[in-house]
Amino acid sequence: MEPAAASSIRSLLYIMFLLYSSLLIAPTSSQGDESRQANNKHVAIFVFGDSVYDPGNNNYLHVGIDYKANFTPYGESFFEYPTGRFCDGRIVPDFAAMYSNLPLWEPYLQPGSHNFSNGANFASAGAGVLEESEPRTLYSQKQLSYFKEVANLLKQQLGDAEAKKILADALYLSSFGGVDYMSFIDSTPNPTKLQQREYVNMVIGNFTDVIKEIYEMGGRKFAFQNVGPLGCLPEFKQQYNHSGGACVEVLQAITSLHNSLLSNVTVELQSQLSGFQYLIFDFFSSLNDMINYPTKYGFNVSKIACCGIGLYRGSECGRVKEYELCSNPNEYVFFDGGHASERANSILSNFLWNGGSEFTWPLSMKQLYELNSTTAIEILSNDKLLFPM
């Protein structure tokens, strides 16, 4: 009897061992599984940018209809009402929040209480790095000032140590530059290469100042979306009367220059700033590939927007009575003349989160999210790191 009992005990222990081992194995097979892995952490996200990232902050600004999307048919595919997002549904920061187990974004300017331990979205349609690009919107320095207010509020609510830890662990997601180059080309239609380089250097220089200020506030993990292929957007092909379908070369050139310099600057910042970690999401190449090879991504239409008027439906989505609207936005890369459809945003967000050298470098957003801030202890013990009032 004793050998049989011993064998039964060994079998039971072996089964228990297998069950225990299976609990240690993290799921890795699907996008949904990857999202669930993020549920074990809480990381705030602070969002800065222009219309590509705006969840509706401009609803609360005295700006013209060109800078608002709080009317139909915007929002129809997901929210079923217009939220102020320039999309038929969710935008890239919404999907990033979902991957990070955070709620969909409410505009920072929306009245009422906010849980800033989750972060905040300051993005504003029409916002440039430079104030002069569109001073009526929340340009980069204005968004930075609101971020400082949030940091001070976290300090008051949670105490210095907890507030600084949240800021150190947070992700800082941004999309800037497009508005500045649209403004520049409007005022300087045929800029020389020297003029282009001088202007891009000015934009990058001012943006670098914003990054450094966020770093001084305790930020360490930055996700930069580069500028998309402006010259290939339906809005600008229509504006420049490119009936043959060719992209607007001057916009493509200045955008490419910006993206190249942004890559160089981030490498320099990492060498200069202790604990600085970053990724660049190649929005330019990702969206460009969708435009050129739509069927590869399951789209039927990539050169014409779902909503608008004109040759490419490049303008006036929802603003005039006679605008056209497609029957299924999921078949289109662009919802309006300058902004991707929700389905395209979903695909782009997958590229951002999961990465791959052709989409993000040197890290993916998932890797940046999971990266513990190596400077958290330094920040908590650094008496010189103060919250500006």
Side-chain angles (χ1 to χ4, degrees):
M1 294 298 293
E2 288 183 0
S7 177
S8 297
I9 292 171
R10 283 196 298 271
S11 297
L12 179 60
L13 290 172
Y14 181 66
I15 291 169
M16 292 175 65
F17 171 76
L18 289 177
L19 289 170
Y20 177 73
S21 298
S22 68
L23 294 174
L24 299 179
I25 299 174
T28 58
S29 59
S30 71
Q31 182 176 318
D33 289 336
E34 288 165 348
S35 298
R36 284 191 289 273
Q37 288 179 52
N39 293 352
N40 297 325
K41 280 187 83 158
H42 179 271
V43 174
I45 302 178
F46 293 95
V47 182
F48 305 82
D50 50 31
S51 62
V52 178
Y53 279 8
D54 184 2
N57 278 307
N58 281 19
N59 296 349
Y60 307 96
L61 297 179
H62 295 293
V63 293
I65 195 171
D66 288 353
Y67 297 120
K68 290 189 176 183
N70 58 347
F71 46 85
T72 56
Y74 289 108
E76 64 168 21
S77 296
F78 181 80
F79 300 99
E80 299 182 350
Y81 65 92
T83 64
R85 290 164 170 82
F86 282 80
C87 184
D88 59 305
R90 291 161 291 185
I91 53 179
V92 167
D94 289 320
F95 288 103
M98 291 169 65
Y99 278 121
S100 305
N101 196 34
L102 297 175
L104 298 180
W105 294 108
E106 295 178 346
Y108 169 73
L109 294 181
Q110 180 173 298
S113 61
H114 296 264
N115 181 6
F116 291 127
S117 65
N118 288 332
N121 188 328
F122 310 103
S124 169
V129 171
L130 307 177
E131 178 181 359
E132 54 266 33
S133 293
E134 183 41 82
R136 295 173 297 172
T137 62
L138 306 183
Y139 51 90
S140 65
Q141 284 291 336
K142 188 68 175 174
Q143 293 184 34
L144 178 64
S145 71
Y146 284 139
F147 168 67
K148 291 179 179 179
E149 290 180 9
V150 168
N152 278 303
L153 188 61
L154 287 171
K155 175 189 175 185
Q156 293 166 17
Q157 293 176 342
L158 305 175
D160 284 6
E162 183 61 25
K164 290 176 181 178
K165 186 177 187 307
I166 287 173
L167 297 178
D169 287 334
L171 291 173
Y172 297 84
L173 176 63
S174 62
S175 170
F176 272 119
V179 173
D180 298 289
Y181 301 122
M182 296 175 205
S183 174
F184 175 64
I185 296 301
D186 282 345
S187 62
T188 314
N190 296 297
T192 65
K193 289 187 177 181
L194 177 59
Q195 288 174 314
Q196 291 180 42
R197 180 165 288 275
E198 287 176 345
Y199 190 81
V200 172
N201 280 332
M202 181 168 61
V203 171
I204 291 289
N206 279 267
F207 185 49
T208 302
D209 291 340
V210 172
I211 297 166
K212 287 181 176 178
E213 287 203 56
I214 294 173
Y215 178 88
E216 288 299 316
M217 294 290 295
R220 291 299 184 269
K221 299 190 292 186
F222 295 81
F224 303 109
Q225 177 170 302
N226 68 17
V227 178
L230 297 180
C232 297
L233 302 184
E235 175 182 357
F236 295 108
K237 290 198 297 182
Q238 184 166 304
Q239 180 180 325
Y240 283 80
N241 296 315
H242 281 219
S243 57
C247 300
V248 182
E249 290 184 10
V250 65
L251 280 169
Q252 291 293 85
I254 197 166
T255 299
S256 295
L257 180 58
H258 168 95
N259 292 342
S260 176
L261 292 180
L262 177 64
S263 293
N264 294 340
V265 162
T266 50
V267 171
E268 292 174 7
L269 287 172
Q270 190 169 49
S271 68
Q272 296 168 0
L273 305 177
S274 175
F276 179 90
Q277 300 289 342
Y278 76 96
L279 70 82
I280 290 180
F281 170 42
D282 194 355
F283 182 53
F284 182 98
S285 297
S286 300
L287 185 55
N288 214 38
D289 203 51
M290 283 188 188
I291 295 169
N292 292 326
Y293 307 101
T295 56
K296 173 181 171 183
Y297 301 96
F299 296 106
N300 294 332
V301 185
S302 65
K303 304 293 177 69
I304 301 172
C306 169
C307 177
I309 64 172
L311 180 63
Y312 297 103
R313 293 184 190 151
S315 63
E316 306 297 335
C317 175
R319 299 176 199 165
V320 293
K321 290 182 180 179
E322 64 270 20
Y323 76 89
E324 299 175 37
L325 181 66
C326 71
S327 59
N328 185 3
N330 287 335
E331 296 179 351
Y332 286 70
V333 172
F334 292 102
F335 183 66
D336 70 12
H339 305 93
S341 64
E342 182 188 63
R343 184 167 178 273
N345 282 331
S346 174
I347 296 169
L348 291 164
S349 303
N350 182 41
F351 294 162
L352 168 64
W353 181 259
N354 290 304
S357 59
E358 70 272 41
F359 302 123
T360 69
W361 62 83
L363 300 169
S364 69
M365 191 167 178
K366 181 174 184 286
Q367 290 172 322
L368 195 64
Y369 175 95
E370 293 175 343
L371 189 67
N372 290 322
S373 175
T374 57
T375 57
I377 296 175
E378 165 207 335
I379 291 169
L380 293 173
S381 62
N382 187 354
D383 292 333
K384 294 181 181 180
L385 186 60
L386 302 176
F387 286 80
M389 297 302 293

